[in-house]
Amino acid sequence: MSKYRNFCIIAHIDHGKSTLADRLLEHTGTVNSRNMMKQVLDNMELEQERGITIKLHAIQMKYEAKDGNEYILNLIDTPGHVDFSYEVSRSLAACEGAILVVDATQGVEAQTISNLYLAIDQGLEIIPVVNKIDLQSAMIDEVKDQIIELIGGKREDIISASAKSDIGTEEILEAIVNKIPPAKIAEDKPLRALIFDSVFDIYRGVVVYLRVFEGTLKEGDKIVFYFNGKEFEAEETGILKMERLRTKELASGNVGYLIANIKDVNDSKVGDTIFHKSQPIEHPLPGYKEVKPMVFSGIYPTQSNEFELLRDSLSKLKLNDASLTYVPETSVALGFGFRCGFLGLLHLEIIQERLEREYGMTIITTVPNAEYKVYKTNQEVVLVDNPTDMPEPVEIDYIEEPYISAHIITPSEYIGNIMKLASDRRGVYKTTNYIDSKRVDLHIEFPLAEIIFDFYDKLKSTSRGYASFDYHFIEYRKSDLVKLDILLNGESVDAFSAILHRDNAFSWGKKLCEKLRKLIPRQMFEVAIQAAIGSKVIARETISPLRKNVIAKCYGGDISRKRKLLEKQKEGKKRMKQVGSVEIPQEAFLAALTIER
């Protein structure tokens, strides 16, 4: 029988996943007490600070069980956030079991359910754990009832634990050994290995993390990546402890790393299958798909001379993050910048924060939006992720926008608030399931564009922070969408353009015009701020001009003298208005990001 146990920990954000991983590493002696710190696997400063896992980590532990045998445990620590669900699904595919961690004070949350379904789809053995049982507000019995309702099983099979206080860690390790099936060994078959992650090392190139399902991978082997057909030679293979540990070969059932002089992280795509060049395979390992960005936003440097610095910063970030896409673009208002594609809003936030922290960039981001399918009257289909690329209204037959399926878990007293929020955001109600007498799972379908902006903040404020939210993309659907332009003195400012539903365009345009009126400084001439759909103006605000008192020196005398000076001033202002350009401060571009819907 194999001594390998490959498992991962799945949980909602902040339910104690990384803390439990710390305890397992401590108990198995993988990390000595001198090097121990909180969230030891989360090595990014941002992960430590926010208490979330952004990049997954794999680590091998040795554990001597009560039956006297020594087992090798491969833990793959996965991100909990919905943006990284494809990475999570590939990590689960590399495992035979999963520890399901549920917070005793919070109960089952939206991402607990979505990650659990991913694990069940992969056919994994689930070990349920109720964490944080030592807190005063812990509802141990209620949470155990919720878990039984969710996955069935017996109450005595649910392990009560506290990762912080080191309660129940021994029972979890024994359950891993006894309940999770051993990794299947198939060394006599041709090599098939699954890539579940890759990172970039500035000295060695791309380091691929993989799980060997069949065959053996040795140093010096000529290997091929199935989906892109690229060939490499395995330079170094080994297992993952706190550092990389070279073993020269990886046998079937094991998890480890591969270095093969790969220069581009895009060559080692998550979910791809590795095989020997001399032994071609008929079928790759299942589940591979191309990761597509869901949210698009323009990123511009505040100083135009920092454009090259921004390009270098983005290219360095992309070395470690294959899901980030960027192409250069220009804006009349903001100058040169990049159109970036992200997996979701958290991904956008992390990239933005890393640019500011790690590379010292000060940047402006435009309003995030989704990718739309525009069907033109000449039968052509165009993908539009930037409002400035939207064809003229006369050329458009109809537009389709992406829809997502969302699960919102909330205490039942907030159902009314959330249903109102959902209807405001064009949500399509599907079903309601009661998890227990107090908590409800609402299934609602939304247009993606309605939730990427400020939906999560609104959901938290309407439910006093109790509601949790998880979603996945389903399909494109036909919608009545329009491009809204903001005109300053008749000239369109592309940085303020947005693609909106026709019903929301008026209120959005009106609010943005009002906000810009307060932020744009007064000029020596009148400035008209207009919101327009095509050639039709739907909202307008006017910034009144500054006026120099030209008649201050006329303290007496005939009125005609004063009138003559005023007429002269009027002529000058008219001429100024024809040639004048409006100064727009930086805060005005950020105003579009803070509009209440």
Side-chain angles (χ1 to χ4, degrees), residues 95-137:
C95 301
E96 276 80 32
I99 299 172
L100 174 72
V101 177
V102 183
D103 189 328
T105 62
Q106 305 275 333
V108 170
E109 303 261 19
Q111 275 156 284
T112 317
I113 292 177
S114 77
N115 286 346
L116 174 67
Y117 286 161
L118 284 174
I120 291 168
D121 288 346
Q122 300 285 353
L124 303 192
E125 178 65 40
I126 310 291
I127 298 173
V129 173
V130 175
N131 193 22
K132 307 187 186 180
I133 57 163
D134 54 337
L135 295 180
Q136 280 187 337
S137 54

Side-chain angles (χ1 to χ4, degrees), residues 16-162:
K17 186 157 53 81
S18 296
T19 313
L20 177 59
D22 291 351
R23 293 295 81 75
L24 296 177
L25 293 172
E26 224 170 23
H27 259 260
T28 53
T30 311
V31 182
N32 60 35
S33 54
R34 196 178 66 184
N35 294 339
M36 197 63 207
M37 59 178 193
K38 279 185 185 176
Q39 290 171 259
V40 70
L41 292 179
D42 295 343
N43 50 16
M44 210 186 291
E45 188 188 324
L46 207 56
E47 292 180 312
Q48 292 276 345
E49 200 175 288
R50 284 181 170 220
I52 58 171
T53 303
I54 295 166
K55 199 93 180 80
L56 66 85
H57 303 269
I59 192 159
Q60 191 174 96
M61 304 174 271
K62 281 185 179 169
Y63 172 64
E64 196 167 309
K66 287 178 181 172
D67 62 9
N69 291 320
E70 190 177 64
Y71 292 89
I72 293 169
L73 313 180
N74 284 313
L75 161 65
I76 298 173
D77 182 26
T78 56
H81 200 273
V82 58
D83 286 5
F84 311 110
S85 60
Y86 173 62
E87 280 183 36
V88 174
S89 78
R90 293 304 83 215
S91 308
L92 296 177
C95 301
E96 276 80 32
I99 299 172
L100 174 72
V101 177
V102 183
D103 189 328
T105 62
Q106 305 275 333
V108 170
E109 303 261 19
Q111 275 156 284
T112 317
I113 292 177
S114 77
N115 286 346
L116 174 67
Y117 286 161
L118 284 174
I120 291 168
D121 288 346
Q122 300 285 353
L124 303 192
E125 178 65 40
I126 310 291
I127 298 173
V129 173
V130 175
N131 193 22
K132 307 187 186 180
I133 57 163
D134 54 337
L135 295 180
Q136 280 187 337
S137 54
M139 312 171 292
I140 301 166
D141 291 333
E142 289 98 312
V143 173
K144 283 187 176 180
D145 289 340
Q146 289 174 17
I147 293 172
I148 291 165
E149 184 75 26
L150 199 61
I151 59 171
K154 299 174 186 166
R155 183 178 276 270
E156 54 268 26
D157 290 343
I158 300 170
I159 300 169
S160 299
S162 169

Side-chain angles (χ1 to χ4, degrees), residues 280-430:
I281 54 171
E282 284 182 27
H283 303 292
L285 295 162
Y288 174 79
K289 68 174 187 187
E290 284 282 342
V291 181
K292 281 188 70 180
M294 297 293 285
V295 177
F296 295 83
S297 177
I299 292 184
Y300 295 86
T302 50
Q303 308 294 327
S304 55
N305 59 352
E306 289 182 349
F307 173 73
E308 286 302 325
L309 189 60
L310 179 60
R311 186 201 292 275
D312 292 347
S313 307
L314 283 169
S315 64
K316 283 173 187 167
L317 277 181
K318 187 165 171 62
L319 289 174
N320 266 323
D321 189 349
S323 50
L324 170 69
T325 62
Y326 65 95
V327 289
E329 72 167 6
T330 55
S331 157
V332 178
L334 298 172
F336 292 99
F338 293 93
R339 190 88 195 153
C340 301
F342 307 93
L343 295 174
L345 222 57
L346 177 79
H347 191 206
L348 183 153
E349 219 176 289
I350 287 162
I351 295 294
Q352 202 175 323
E353 206 156 324
R354 287 185 70 186
L355 281 171
E356 287 170 3
R357 280 181 179 211
E358 295 172 25
Y359 302 100
M361 297 292 307
T362 45
I363 53 173
I364 295 174
T365 53
T366 60
V367 180
N369 58 272
E371 186 174 58
Y372 302 93
K373 282 184 181 174
V374 180
Y375 292 80
K376 295 168 80 172
T377 47
N378 63 0
Q379 309 304 309
E380 195 186 337
V381 182
V382 189
L383 288 173
V384 175
D385 59 40
N386 188 347
T388 51
D389 298 337
M390 184 65 92
E392 291 299 314
V394 290
E395 297 175 23
I396 298 171
D397 185 11
Y398 63 93
I399 303 172
E400 287 184 348
E401 65 176 330
Y403 265 72
I404 55 108
S405 171
H407 283 274
I408 298 171
I409 293 182
T410 175
S412 47
E413 64 259 36
Y414 302 114
I415 291 178
N417 296 356
I418 289 167
M419 294 299 257
K420 184 182 181 308
L421 176 64
S423 67
D424 290 346
R425 297 301 175 93
R426 300 190 284 131
V428 180
Y429 168 77
K430 288 293 173 186

